[in-house]
Amino acid sequence: MTTTYAVLSEGLEKRFGTVHAVRGLDLAVARGTVCGVLGPNGAGKTTAVRLLTTLLRPDAGSARIAGHDLVREASAVRRRIGVTGQYASVDGDLTGRQNLRLFARLHRVRGPAERAGELLDRFGLTEAADRPASTYSGGMRRRLDLAASLIRRPDVLFLDEPTTGLDPASRNQIWDAVRDLKREGTTVLLTTQYLEEADQLADDIALVDRGRVAHSGSPSQLKALIGTYAEVVVAHPDALAKAAGVLDRLTGAEPSFDHERNAVGAVTGDPTLTLPRLVRELDAAGVPLLDASMRPPTLDDVFLRLTDRKEQAA
């Protein structure tokens, strides 16, 4: 079945006893794109991934993955997807090559040795291929884990926080791999706690809050929802409170502090708040100003402004 969407869910629900972890999840991920799934801890992101990858059965709602019904065609869904969880699934006692050959045989891939060699080369693991995976660095193990999830060339790849705990160089290697997969036409659904990661990789973002998609759109569309970020740098730390008071009055938003830089900022949706007006108000309040600026918001600003971090579902 041909469809515009590689992942399409409507009203997915999942309860664990009294906890309503996923409550009406509507998600549409276009083929050949990267969708970033963001949300506070306990918002239901990992539960949603477990539902969409057939690891959990939904209590209500429906979904189609790669054109197949999530419940009625679960086996077909599993044949079309790859999954990389938060923790490496490879066997540390086996070598990198043995791990990939094992996965290839389990999935009945033709030419398991050749496929293992292709993936080792693709992820820069050829030189370490015959060493036990237990000797690999964290970044190498994550690349091996990602290679294992690609054994069958999946149509849809689910990455659940794939770079957690990695150093910047290893993280960039995973980012490059995701970009390559997108260019090849693979659809990627990525949950991450790194907002810069979503900003770098995602075509669209689903902001999950309290078990449902609260907001969705491209990174630029979500940033446009909350306006502009105004920041003030003061000459003395004791002036931060006064500067914050001015920002609070002008923006109506709770200011955030950067004490190392003697800076305070807030997001505003008021189009009449210009930089000259901000400077005038600070001067009138007697704030010893070093610098003031107004810029587009980051995804961090979007996350803090658009999610309700209280009373999250588990």
Side-chain angles (χ1 to χ4, degrees):
M1 177 178 177
T2 301
T3 177
T4 304
Y5 298 105
V7 177
L8 183 64
S9 73
E10 296 180 279
L12 281 186
E13 303 264 346
K14 188 63 184 179
R15 288 180 179 271
F16 299 100
T18 60
V19 176
H20 203 170
V22 174
R23 51 181 85 194
L25 187 82
D26 298 324
L27 184 65
V29 183
R31 289 184 178 274
T33 65
V34 177
C35 177
V37 178
L38 307 180
N41 289 336
K45 304 184 300 296
T46 295
T47 300
V49 170
R50 295 183 70 192
L51 288 169
L52 295 171
T53 56
T54 76
L55 295 175
L56 290 174
R57 187 182 179 92
D59 297 327
S62 62
R64 297 191 72 84
I65 311 296
H68 296 282
D69 184 271
L70 182 65
V71 175
R72 294 195 304 270
E73 302 175 279
S75 295
V77 169
R78 287 191 285 269
R79 288 194 295 269
R80 303 292 290 276
I81 66 173
V83 183
T84 297
Q86 296 179 23
Y87 305 101
S89 61
V90 296
D91 187 330
D93 293 331
L94 300 180
T95 67
R97 192 184 309 277
Q98 288 170 336
N99 267 286
L100 294 185
R101 285 182 176 177
L102 175 61
F103 277 96
R105 287 196 296 271
L106 289 173
H107 290 301
R108 299 179 181 178
V109 172
R110 291 183 179 179
E114 291 77 8
R115 183 59 178 152
E118 290 172 8
L119 289 167
L120 289 166
D121 182 61
R122 174 172 184 166
F123 286 96
L125 295 170
T126 301
E127 291 186 5
D130 298 310
R131 284 169 36 199
S134 60
T135 68
Y136 286 13
S137 67
M140 292 170 68
R141 285 176 70 93
R142 294 304 284 162
R143 280 184 279 147
L144 182 61
D145 202 38
L146 182 54
S149 70
L150 297 176
I151 281 286
R152 288 189 302 184
R153 297 181 175 89
D155 294 326
V156 184
L157 178 64
F158 291 85
L159 300 179
D160 190 14
E161 300 189 6
T163 62
T164 298
L166 296 187
D167 60 71
S170 297
R171 189 175 302 157
N172 285 335
Q173 290 175 328
I174 299 296
W175 289 5
D176 288 341
V178 172
R179 293 186 183 104
D180 288 342
L181 289 166
K182 176 190 168 182
R183 281 193 290 268
E184 294 167 5
T186 302
T187 304
V188 179
L189 191 144
L190 166 75
T191 72
T192 178
Q193 58 183 308
Y194 300 116
L195 277 71
E196 180 192 3
E197 185 162 271
D199 212 354
Q200 288 279 338
L201 298 176
D203 299 288
D204 291 289
I205 289 172
L207 193 58
V208 176
D209 198 19
R210 301 174 68 84
R212 61 172 61 90
V213 176
H215 301 275
S216 62
S218 68
S220 60
Q221 288 171 332
L222 291 182
K223 291 173 187 178
L225 289 176
I226 65 169
T228 303
Y229 186 78
E231 184 181 68
V232 176
V233 182
V234 298
H236 306 290
D238 54 10
L240 278 172
K242 186 179 288 187
V246 173
L247 284 172
D248 187 22
R249 173 169 54 82
L250 293 176
T251 67
E254 182 178 352
S256 58
F257 294 87
D258 182 344
H259 291 283
E260 290 186 4
R261 297 172 50 236
N262 288 338
V264 58
V267 173
T268 177
D270 183 359
T272 69
L273 182 57
T274 61
L275 184 58
R277 180 187 169 200
L278 175 62
V279 172
R280 286 196 303 270
E281 295 282 353
L282 290 163
D283 184 60
V287 176
L289 185 66
L290 286 183
D291 190 25
S293 62
M294 298 187 70
R295 58 164 175 78
T298 65
L299 277 183
D300 294 75
D301 303 323
V302 172
F303 180 88
L304 293 172
R305 187 69 175 268
L306 296 182
T307 59
D308 177 7
R309 290 169 292 162
K310 298 177 182 178
E311 301 178 5
Q312 290 296 336

